[in-house]
Amino acid sequence: MTVQEVDLGSFVQEWEQWHSAKEGVLAGPHGFLAITSLRWLSAEPTRFEDAPGAWSSTADGVVVELDEGEELTVDGTAVHGRYDFGVIAERASVQAGWGDAVIEVAKRGGHDIVRPRHPDSVLRTAFTQTPAYAPDPRWVRTGRFLPFAEPRPVTVGAAVEGLEHVYDSPGQVEFDLDGMPHRLTAFNGKAPGSLMVLFTDKTSGVTTYAANRSLQVGPPDGEGRVTVDFNRAGNLPCAYTDLATCPLPPTENRLPVAVEAGEKIPLERGGQL
């Protein structure tokens, strides 16, 4: 795709729809901005002020012990007393209802966690918008997917110091910027066959969030071509709150150019419109 082939009005409208949908998920009643705490569970049953029950991590998974009068809703069913969530897979989550709140039970970096999500969280109710560069077709690149013979486990750091994530990488995405070829290690994306890349660039820590940005890339076509649209480089939850465990980019995903496209530093972190 070249800039000359783009209907600018439609291009901008589609970007605005993407950005609005992303903001809607982030600031939804139980989105990441609704999180009020990040609790690391241990074998000792522990109560938290923003969740019911006493929570613990056991060999058989996460357990909550609810006192008389306390109730959670799991898969539409009210539960009381002792409830066993079982072993939760890495990067998986279970949502338990508690009044108008949701208690997220999850595993991150090999650790069981609880993250209560309350609609009246100040971070959520005060949220307005995320600054971003104006969408520009020149930041859309046609690249190609370079698959590995077999998926490779890649260990990356996390927004939480000392935590690590391991992702299987199916290959790399190659594209040109400023006349130079670049390759980014890719992970599996949200949709089947799609890819996700984490990266930093020369704008990181200046106009964009310092730790990371994320970019979804559609499935390669029959010849391995992919569209890399940096206008849709988005912030991960850790750009807004310290209560996130987001992965950091692999070392090789640090671009030596300024990608002046996509989302900027959130207002909550001192960003500017």
Side-chain angles (χ1 to χ4, degrees), residues 171-173 175 182-186 197 199 230 252-253 255:
Q172 294 181 312
V173 172
F175 53 91
H182 301 278
R183 289 184 182 181
L184 296 175
T185 294
V197 295
F199 73 97
F230 283 104
E252 64 272 20
N253 284 18
L255 292 172

Side-chain angles (χ1 to χ4, degrees), residues 44-218:
E44 181 67 25
T46 305
R47 298 188 67 90
F48 310 118
E49 61 183 12
D50 51 354
W55 298 80
S56 59
S57 175
T58 75
D60 296 321
V62 176
V63 171
V64 63
E65 299 171 14
L66 299 165
D67 284 350
E68 185 176 351
E70 292 183 323
E71 176 182 285
L72 286 172
T73 303
V74 182
D75 293 331
T77 301
V79 299
H80 306 88
R82 178 186 172 93
Y83 183 80
D84 188 348
F85 285 88
V87 176
I88 297 175
E90 182 66 32
R91 290 190 291 279
S93 298
V94 175
Q95 308 284 338
W98 181 44
D100 65 353
V102 160
I103 311 301
E104 177 192 10
V105 188
K107 179 167 288 184
R108 297 293 183 270
H111 302 275
D112 290 324
I113 64 171
V114 163
R115 280 191 295 206
R117 300 181 181 222
H118 291 261
D120 61 357
S121 161
V122 174
L123 188 63
R124 174 182 177 269
T125 57
F127 177 77
T128 55
Q129 62 180 303
T130 300
Y133 286 99
D136 187 336
R138 72 186 182 90
W139 286 106
V140 182
R141 293 289 187 272
T142 297
R144 60 177 181 145
F145 176 56
L146 305 174
F148 297 138
E150 296 288 341
R152 300 177 183 177
V154 177
T155 301
V156 298
V160 175
E161 186 175 356
L163 193 68
E164 290 184 335
H165 297 283
V166 180
Y167 292 86
D168 283 336
S169 171
Q172 294 181 312
V173 172
E174 183 180 66
F175 53 91
D176 287 346
L177 278 180
D178 293 342
M180 296 292 293
H182 301 278
R183 289 184 182 181
L184 296 175
T185 294
F187 301 126
N188 293 316
K190 296 178 180 178
S194 68
L195 305 166
M196 185 270 286
V197 295
L198 301 169
F199 73 97
T200 57
D201 63 275
K202 289 295 186 182
T203 69
S204 301
V206 182
T207 57
T208 64
Y209 186 58
N212 51 25
R213 283 195 290 168
S214 172
L215 182 61
Q216 296 290 326
V217 178

